[in-house]
Amino acid sequence: MELYELTVHELLEKLEKNEITPEDITKSYIERINNKEQDIQAFITLLDKEAEETAKNIEAERKKYEGIPIGIKDNICTKGVKTTCASKMLEDFVSPYDATVVEKLKDEGLIMMGKMNMDEFAMGSSTEYSYFKKTKNPWDLTRVPGGSSGGSIAAVASNMLPWALGSETGGSVRQPASLCGIVGLKPTYGLVSRYGLVAYASSLDQIGPATKDVEDCALLLGLIAGHDKKDTTSANVDKKDYLAHLKDGVKGLKIGVPKEFFQKGINEEVKENILNAIEIYKNLGAKVEEFSFSMADYMLPIYYIIACAEASSNLGRFDGIRYGHRAKEFSSLKELYVNSRTEGFGDEVKRRIILGTYVLSSGYYEAYYKKAQKLRTLVINEFKKGFEKYDVILTPTSPTTAFKIGEKSDNPLEMYLADLYTVPVNIAGLPAISIPSGVDSNRLPIGLQLIGNHFEEDKLLQIAYAFEQAFKFREKYKPDFKK
């Protein structure tokens, strides 16, 4: 087996036994990138030469994670390296500082291999809305990897990276993880610092890990979680060892299954797969029970009203004056604003800004935005009620498997339905994980989603790990780069 095929915990074992060096690992991944990046198109900025140089200079007495490569989604600030948000607006922006998560990873000795492609300003579910390139799904190069963290996820799925960071606003780590057959985690809102994450919708955004398996997910979460005084929304909670109870199993634990998530819009093969996964949990000793989630039909409208309203406000700073793209031709200040934003933003970003401005405008604020916030409280309360009874809630991650490139890009409403099962988690600020649970008849991955209570990532990872070990997806299936 090649080094690039191993998980991080397997690489760490080999490093500990002095069977390999950090330089061996970095060279293996660079070679893989050189072979596969032309097909996948996952990187916006590749730092292979810098990574190789850093790996060469690592001393014999290194830190535990020193020499392990990682990819960073291109909306997370990196000092001295471009942070473009996959937009013409920030095409040449070089961040003067590191995001807190990047600082933490550097302190542990991880090597940044590059900045990953994404939907522009994290607005999209397919990574087709990048200004620079369209990332492909490693399982079938004619299909999307999901989004908006498609570059991060596709790079891990194709073994060009051992792990990566993505960001979530409505499922942007979990949904592509489902479509590409890897593990994606959205932590509790506030568990991971957002300082240095370019804001899309501040009350929903959260940085999360993309990994090959659940154990690696627990490792990476442990590295990035923790209170940050630079982020006013950062939660000051006790630090946990996410590996401590990973192998405790699920015997006696209660899993709730909302019946509304298995009704309209779900692909029959996905539904059948998730029902089979439920049987595996029952065989492992978990108690599984169906229940009703009455707010299910309101999730997408609530999410898109709040997210677009916050995007309209957050993206107001990109005006062609302070930083970002500035139009060359204008005859007045107003024209400078209009031309810069017209040229700098793509269609999907413009669509969401317009929608957000509309719902915040005089006469519509009460009818849309304020009502959405009230309904958000009802969603939070409904989840609270669920967690009084269940340890986790189980749903599909995505209603379908990966769709063809271009299939939904001209139909925004159909594209938004890709987030049907993931947005409730962001609305309520809960943690959730997507783990691969099989493939469909086209040999495309299907993802199982587990939703946990606030700050119970350890329990979530424990329950995900039990399924992973029983099902052994990585042993059964691998992408074969079909065209």
Side-chain angles (χ1 to χ4, degrees):
M1 189 179 272
E2 299 288 345
L3 287 183
Y4 58 71
E5 294 180 90
L6 301 178
T7 60
V8 171
H9 59 88
E10 289 167 340
L11 290 172
L12 292 174
E13 252 179 64
K14 288 186 174 294
L15 282 170
E16 205 133 306
K17 293 175 184 171
N18 292 317
E19 292 175 8
I20 57 171
T21 67
E23 201 176 346
D24 294 333
I25 296 170
T26 306
K27 278 184 174 172
S28 177
Y29 275 101
I30 289 171
E31 193 177 313
R32 180 69 172 175
I33 291 165
N34 289 338
N35 288 336
K36 296 298 175 188
E37 170 59 7
Q38 58 188 0
D39 290 326
I40 305 295
Q41 299 287 293
F43 289 83
I44 289 179
T45 302
L46 180 59
L47 302 169
D48 52 344
K49 290 180 177 61
E50 295 87 339
E52 202 165 10
E53 196 57 40
T54 305
K56 266 184 204 170
N57 297 325
I58 291 172
E59 304 291 330
E61 291 200 11
R62 54 179 184 80
K63 296 174 184 174
K64 180 180 176 181
Y65 293 94
E66 202 152 13
I68 302 289
I70 191 163
I72 309 292
K73 187 175 177 180
D74 209 20
N75 61 344
I76 299 171
C77 288
T78 43
K79 188 176 181 179
V81 177
K82 281 185 183 182
T83 299
T84 70
C85 291
S87 177
K88 183 176 181 178
M89 182 60 80
L90 290 175
E91 186 176 6
D92 299 312
F93 174 66
V94 177
S95 173
Y97 67 96
D98 279 325
T100 296
V101 290
V102 174
E103 267 181 12
K104 287 187 173 194
L105 296 176
K106 284 183 176 177
D107 287 345
E108 293 290 342
L110 275 83
I111 297 174
M112 185 163 59
M113 189 64 85
K115 301 298 292 290
M116 313 313 297
N117 196 30
M118 55 184 280
D119 285 302
E120 184 183 6
F121 282 101
M123 298 182 192
S125 306
S126 63
T127 317
E128 292 175 279
Y129 298 130
S130 168
Y131 171 66
F132 300 102
K133 55 180 72 172
K134 285 180 172 67
T135 300
K136 316 294 192 305
N137 190 314
W139 294 77
D140 181 343
L141 298 177
T142 67
R143 294 177 187 266
V144 303
S148 63
S149 305
S152 296
I153 272 71
V156 175
S158 58
N159 289 319
M160 292 195 289
L161 289 171
W163 55 11
L165 287 185
S167 74
E168 280 247 4
T169 307
S172 293
V173 172
R174 287 164 292 143
Q175 184 255 10
S178 172
L179 271 50
C180 291
I182 67 164
V183 175
L185 175 73
K186 184 261 171 197
T188 304
Y189 184 80
L191 181 66
V192 177
S193 173
R194 292 188 302 112
Y195 179 76
L197 173 67
V198 179
Y200 161 16
S202 306
S203 74
L204 302 164
D205 296 341
Q206 187 64 84
I207 293 167
T211 61
K212 293 179 183 179
D213 71 0
V214 175
E215 188 171 342
D216 280 2
C217 192
L219 288 172
L220 188 48
L221 181 63
L223 294 179
I224 62 173
H227 179 64
D228 180 15
K229 62 185 180 185
K230 290 180 283 190
D231 175 6
T232 56
T233 61
S234 177
N236 199 353
V237 292
D238 292 338
K239 202 161 173 62
K240 287 184 178 179
D241 176 2
Y242 295 106
L243 294 172
H245 300 287
L246 195 65
K247 300 175 183 178
D248 285 1
V250 295
K251 198 167 183 182
L253 294 179
K254 288 186 174 178
I255 299 173
V257 179
K259 63 183 181 185
E260 288 82 2
F261 285 55
F262 291 83
Q263 291 169 358
K264 56 186 179 185
I266 187 169
N267 172 283
E268 278 305 313
E269 286 190 78
V270 172
K271 183 178 178 178
E272 188 184 338
N273 175 273
I274 302 302
L275 293 175
N276 289 338
I278 288 169
E279 291 307 309
I280 290 173
Y281 270 118
K282 286 178 181 175
N283 293 336
L284 291 170
K287 295 173 182 174
V288 183
E289 186 177 294
E290 193 177 74
F291 73 102
S292 182
F293 196 90
S294 63
M295 294 298 294
D297 288 343
Y298 303 99
M299 297 303 181
L300 279 176
I302 294 168
Y303 170 77
Y304 277 101
I305 288 170
I306 294 171
C308 293
E310 293 185 18
S312 168
S313 175
N314 279 325
L315 271 62
R317 72 193 75 177
F318 303 109
D319 55 12
I321 302 290
R322 288 161 284 190
Y323 55 91
H325 174 76
R326 176 183 286 204
K328 289 189 174 133
E329 294 182 15
F330 56 92
S331 57
S332 66
L333 183 61
K334 183 181 177 183
E335 205 170 280
L336 171 60
Y337 288 155
V338 171
N339 292 357
S340 297
R341 289 167 71 82
T342 301
E343 294 169 16
F345 290 136
D347 289 345
E348 183 60 27
V349 175
K350 288 174 188 169
R351 187 181 291 121
R352 297 195 192 196
I353 289 172
I354 291 166
L355 178 57
T357 306
Y358 175 79
V359 300
L360 288 174
S361 62
S362 177
Y364 298 101
Y365 175 87
E366 297 272 342
Y368 293 104
Y369 183 71
K370 194 173 177 183
K371 193 176 282 183
Q373 290 290 15
K374 285 179 178 178
L375 287 170
R376 183 182 198 170
T377 305
L378 295 180
V379 172
I380 293 166
N381 291 339
E382 185 137 14
F383 272 117
K384 274 183 187 170
K385 200 166 70 178
F387 289 118
E388 285 171 10
K389 198 170 183 184
Y390 307 114
D391 292 289
V392 295
I393 291 168
L394 184 154
T395 76
T397 307
S398 171
T400 67
T401 51
F403 45 89
K404 295 270 187 184
I405 292 168
E407 188 181 318
K408 298 185 180 184
S409 51
D410 293 330
N411 189 337
L413 292 178
E414 203 175 311
M415 184 76 83
Y416 296 166
L417 288 171
D419 302 329
L420 191 61
Y421 303 137
T422 53
V423 296
V425 170
N426 300 77
I427 290 167
L430 295 165
I433 192 168
S434 177
I435 51 174
S437 56
V439 296
D440 69 2
S441 54
N442 291 318
R443 210 178 161 277
L444 295 168
I446 296 168
L448 164 72
Q449 177 174 236
L450 298 168
I451 304 168
N453 206 351
H454 292 101
F455 303 107
E456 289 190 357
E457 280 80 0
D458 49 346
K459 188 186 285 185
L460 201 58
L461 290 159
Q462 173 191 333
I463 296 171
Y465 183 82
F467 178 86
E468 180 185 77
Q469 295 306 300
F471 188 73
K472 300 191 184 302
F473 178 87
R474 274 172 55 77
E475 290 178 23
K476 294 176 185 173
Y477 308 106
K478 285 180 184 175
D480 59 5
F481 296 91
K482 290 183 293 181
K483 288 195 180 181

